[in-house]
Amino acid sequence: MDFLIQWSLFLLASILLGFFLEKRTEKEQYLYLKFVFYACLGSVSFPVYDIQLPLGIILFLIVLHPKKNSRYKRYMALFGFLFFLLQLIMGPFDTFTLREETQQMGQVTITDESFDTLMTHIDRRIGDDSLRLEQSQLLFDQGGNLRNATFELIAKSPKRFIRYEVTYQEVTGTLTYRPREEVLTRSLEVYYQKLIDASTSFQTLKTLSIKQILHESKTPYVEMDLDGLYETFSLQDATVLLINDQGELIPYVNTGDDVLANAIRLTYLRSDGQSLREKTILLYNYSFETSRRKGVVR
């Protein structure tokens, strides 16, 4: 359940419970607001490493000792504490959390609409604005048939990150979603902020001129690796092409400055699985500012 919805329902329940208890108490100024305060206090927690300590209820029991209507104020604090416990229990079941599941896709050709459909299914199924790409790998043949693909993605909830692995296998024609792990938000925040939005990478793949790549390939298979990190590249000795807004590949004119970009690395594979030494780097989402000015370290 969304974080704001949880708290809205909690506050509404606290107000209703306070209204009900107020009729049973001694007269006290601002009692109604005090009830809501004690409920909120009981729900307060404090993170220590990966553990959430119930700081609010501890303060109430040790520090605060209300003399008037103490029993009912204790009820409100305990109600807040129950909300804290409920958050711990319900935490792993955020709305965008997936159980492992499989979706039938059939054969996918990377040069036609079936590939666009594949990418759209992934984006919609995990479907969260926070979704970012860690890395992915696609293998296709000279005919454009997608043999297999793996996407490693991160989605963010108010309190944690959830890593997903999405795989496609040509043999079965299936797309499989697997939640891999959950990590507290603060543990991955800096790394997460350096990753590209998954939708941006998916859109790049959809518009990329795959036919141009296949036409220039000298081997039966091409492996395509995407890294979600926005990196600094020194391109003195690499074969580099830029992906323009239309998905076309254009030569990179080396000016001597580093380039900030997301990269797609192409590896050319022979039938026996051995790779050629020749590799190509395709850059998208790029900036020609120097790394020193941008403050990014490779």
Side-chain angles (χ1 to χ4, degrees):
M1 186 181 295
D2 185 84
F3 180 76
L4 292 177
I5 295 176
Q6 287 183 12
W7 273 94
S8 297
L9 292 175
F10 168 67
L11 290 175
L12 178 61
S14 299
I15 291 170
L16 294 175
L17 182 59
F19 180 77
F20 174 76
L21 292 179
E22 190 180 25
K23 298 179 179 180
R24 299 168 175 259
T25 60
E26 302 176 42
K27 290 185 178 180
E28 183 179 346
Q29 192 174 17
Y30 305 121
L31 180 59
Y32 191 68
L33 294 176
K34 290 176 182 177
F35 278 160
V36 176
F37 166 75
Y38 283 117
C40 293
L41 179 64
S43 67
V44 170
S45 63
F46 183 78
V48 178
Y49 295 101
D50 291 340
I51 301 173
Q52 291 289 330
L53 293 181
L55 180 63
I57 195 67
I58 293 173
L59 286 175
F60 177 83
L61 295 175
I62 296 177
V63 179
L64 300 178
H65 302 286
K67 296 179 180 179
K68 206 169 185 180
N69 296 311
S70 60
R71 182 174 63 169
Y72 298 106
K73 292 173 182 176
R74 188 182 305 113
Y75 290 161
M76 294 302 293
L78 290 173
F79 176 69
F81 178 63
L82 288 176
F83 175 67
F84 160 75
L85 294 177
L86 183 64
Q87 285 182 303
L88 290 183
I89 295 171
M90 295 298 293
F93 303 101
D94 287 343
T95 51
F96 64 84
T97 302
L98 295 171
R99 296 179 180 178
E100 182 172 337
E101 61 180 62
T102 300
Q103 184 176 15
Q104 190 66 38
M105 292 297 301
Q107 185 175 3
V108 174
T109 303
I110 203 165
T111 54
D112 66 21
E113 292 182 359
S114 61
F115 182 68
D116 292 354
T117 302
L118 176 80
M119 304 306 297
T120 300
H121 273 301
I122 296 173
D123 204 7
R124 287 180 179 174
R125 182 60 192 90
I126 300 178
D128 190 89
D129 292 339
S130 69
L131 192 65
R132 300 203 176 185
L133 174 73
E134 272 198 282
Q135 58 185 10
S136 65
Q137 184 180 85
L138 299 88
L139 177 66
F140 51 92
D141 61 28
Q142 277 195 323
N145 299 308
L146 184 63
R147 295 303 182 93
N148 56 66
T150 301
F151 301 89
E152 296 184 10
L153 307 161
I154 297 182
K156 181 181 180 181
S157 76
K159 290 191 175 181
R160 72 181 123 323
F161 294 100
I162 302 179
R163 276 192 165 105
Y164 295 96
E165 182 180 75
V166 183
T167 57
Y168 168 80
Q169 294 293 331
E170 182 194 37
V171 176
T172 58
T174 55
L175 191 62
T176 303
Y177 305 87
R178 295 186 184 91
R180 284 170 42 211
E181 65 174 335
E182 299 182 17
V183 183
L184 287 180
T185 301
R186 62 186 182 84
S187 303
L188 274 182
E189 186 65 42
V190 175
Y191 171 68
Y192 171 82
Q193 293 300 332
K194 294 180 180 179
L195 298 176
I196 190 170
D197 291 337
S199 58
T200 300
S201 288
F202 291 169
Q203 186 59 36
T204 299
L205 287 174
K206 287 179 182 180
T207 59
L208 180 60
S209 179
I210 301 294
K211 291 181 179 179
Q212 184 178 346
I213 295 173
L214 294 174
H215 177 73
E216 296 176 0
S217 174
K218 302 174 183 178
T219 60
Y221 302 99
V222 179
E223 183 179 86
M224 181 183 294
D225 296 282
L226 286 78
D227 194 332
L229 286 173
Y230 192 57
E231 296 183 88
T232 303
F233 294 89
S234 296
L235 305 173
Q236 301 296 329
D237 302 314
T239 301
V240 179
L241 298 171
L242 303 178
I243 306 173
N244 65 15
D245 293 338
Q246 289 72 45
E248 300 168 339
L249 304 179
I250 56 179
Y252 167 69
V253 178
N254 196 334
T255 62
D257 287 335
D258 292 344
V259 180
L260 297 174
N262 290 99
I264 300 174
R265 293 175 173 85
L266 302 180
T267 303
Y268 304 99
L269 302 175
R270 299 196 297 256
S271 298
D272 59 5
Q274 297 297 313
S275 63
L276 301 183
R277 290 186 177 181
E278 177 187 349
K279 293 187 179 182
T280 302
I281 299 176
L282 313 179
L283 299 184
Y284 67 104
N285 188 37
Y286 40 79
S287 168
F288 294 100
E289 300 287 341
T290 63
S291 59
R292 181 174 300 177
R293 289 175 61 185
K294 279 289 185 177
V296 177
V297 180
R298 188 175 183 182

